[in-house]
């Protein structure tokens, strides 16, 4: 069964409540974590409170509004919420969500494509002109124009939107085309499952699925870095499809040449076709994107509010859209007028950090500590157990690679360590990243870099 977008984004929705309402871990684990989306019908989301009637009562009082707001902000649409207990549900409880691969085979309806991610809704600006043109060319002539098409750019800048647009376009022209959109993470997990099952049938099913496609779109390819058997399998998939003149579209957060520890044979293949980038949108494009969204959602919003968002939310289109969703959600729920004062109030948390996100060792320490469930003082202190030493070395490495701060000053911030200690720490992480089992450390570094600087 296909998951509803609310189910897909459920953990984001809960995490937004955690952040915006400053919910402690204890409360989060007690009240929010146990909530599960049972179904979404019309504009009603049925949520199962798995931990009993007292919890249901309390959540009704305390978390109903935050849930509504968070859903509206994330999805861009208002929903009513119905809380139920497991025993209230007659049908089989808890259908396991199929984190379905996005199989678009015969028909667009069944395909797990976002219906809104089409060329029609994509605003073309200076930041994405080339990527848009290349995507359209590929959609019009799959396997002929540029193969592979490699689209790269920072978080939330429209790579997935363009990939879905290609898929929609191809399917519209030829509904029986075999189009498959997956994230590289999904590809990896499916491969691992096939290998784990350990028999030839599952492996050959996997291969048949991926090699018998007209257009394969694989998102966020950077996540296969360091995963040897995934790279190996993807290499063969790539060759089979490319050899048969089938279209491959790949997205990544960086160009192939900057994808360290990507196998050379894959890197060179990624460079066979066309490489295009998407950068951050300029002011005019941001305005146009907001206007487009206003039009699609049927909103009517004052220029000054739109201008305020476009001026202040610069680096990430997801955040740009999220800001508008958030204002609309608040205005709806509080039945208030949409004006600049409301926008400033609602966006205060988004806009200030966006303006002053300067990367400092202190910020890095804070993010790394939070990631590893430690206190910043653990990292700057003297304890030497493994639980702390590794994160501390990660801090050293990230300070070195993400700031201009000298080794001496990194040492100072890290509790007065001398520069050779910092150098040793950096060497340690670099050795891991260059070693045979680099993937787990690389993954941690990638995640932390995104947390420290989401706009990169
Ligand atoms: N040019 C554009 N016109 C209209 N909407 C856009 C445009 N670019 C991005 N968006 C919207 O911004 C949001 C984020 O885009 P998308 O998910 O495609 O980003 P991404 O580059 O794939 O991000 P990530 O790196 O997180 O995977 C989407 O809702 C998308 O529709």
């Amino acid at each position: 069964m296909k998951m509803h977008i609310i189910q897909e984004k459920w953990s984001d929705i809960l995490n937004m409540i955690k952040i915006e309402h400053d919910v402690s871990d204890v409360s989060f684990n007690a009240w929010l974590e146990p909530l599960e989306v049972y179904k979404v019908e019309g504009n009603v989301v049925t949520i199962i409170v798995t931990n009993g009637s007292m919890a249901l009562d309390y959540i009704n009082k305390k978390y109903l509004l935050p849930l509504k707001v968070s859903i509206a902000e994330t999805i861009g649409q208002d929903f009513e919420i119905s809380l139920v207990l497991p025993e209230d549900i007659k049908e089989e409880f808890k259908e396991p969500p199929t984190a379905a691969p996005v199989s678009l085979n015969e028909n667009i309806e069944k395909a797990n494509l976002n219906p809104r991610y089409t060329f029609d809704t994509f605003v073309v600006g200076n930041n994405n002109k080339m990527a848009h043109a290349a995507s359209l060319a590929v959609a019009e002539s799959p396997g002929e124009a540029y193969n592979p098409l490699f689209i790269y750019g920072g978080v939330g800048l429209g790579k997935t939107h363009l990939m879905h647009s290609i898929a929609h376009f191809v399917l519209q022209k030829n509904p029986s085309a075999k189009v498959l959109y997956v994230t590289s993470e999904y590809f990896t997990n499916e491969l691992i499952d096939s290998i784990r099952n350990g028999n030839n049938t599952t492996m050959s099913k996997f291969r048949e699925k991926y090699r018998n496609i007209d257009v394969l779109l694989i998102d966020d390819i950077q996540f296969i870095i360091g995963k040897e058997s995934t790279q190996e399998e993807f290499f063969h998939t790539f060759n089979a499809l490319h050899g048969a003149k089938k279209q491959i579209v790949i997205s990544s957060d960086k160009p192939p040449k900057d994808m360290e520890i990507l196998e050379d044979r894959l890197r060179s293949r990624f460079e066979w076709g066309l490489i295009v980038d998407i950068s951050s949108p300029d002011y005019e494009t941001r305005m146009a994107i907001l206007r487009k969204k206003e039009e699609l959602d049927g909103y009517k919003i004052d220029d000054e509010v739109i201008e305020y968002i476009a001026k202040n939310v610069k680096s990430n289109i997801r955040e740009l859209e999220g800001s508008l969703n958030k204002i609309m959600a608040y205005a709806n729920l509080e039945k208030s007028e949409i004006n600049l004062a409301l926008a400033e109030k609602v966006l205060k948390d988004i806009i200030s950090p966006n303006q002053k996100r300067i990367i400092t060792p202190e910020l890095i320490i804070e993010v790394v500590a939070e990631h590893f469930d430690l206190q910043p003082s653990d990292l700057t202190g003297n304890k030497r157990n493994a639980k702390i030493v590794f994160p501390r070395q990660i801090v050293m490495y990230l300070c070195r690679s993400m700031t201009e701060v000298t080794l001496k000053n990194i040492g100072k911030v890290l509790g007065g360590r001398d520069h050779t200690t910092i150098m040793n720490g950096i060497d340690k992480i670099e050795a891991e990243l260059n070693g045979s089992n680099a993937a787990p450390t690389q993954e941690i570094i990638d995640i932390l870099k995104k947390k420290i600087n989401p706009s990169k």
Side-chain angles (χ1 to χ4, degrees), residues 117 121-124 128 153-162 219-220 289 317-318 321 450:
Y117 289 179
T121 59
F122 190 83
V123 174
V124 184
N128 58 28
V155 177
L157 292 181
K159 302 182 293 294
T160 305
H161 190 139
L162 271 183
D219 210 351
D220 290 326
I289 289 171
I317 299 172
R318 189 172 295 123
E321 292 189 331
K450 274 211 169 162

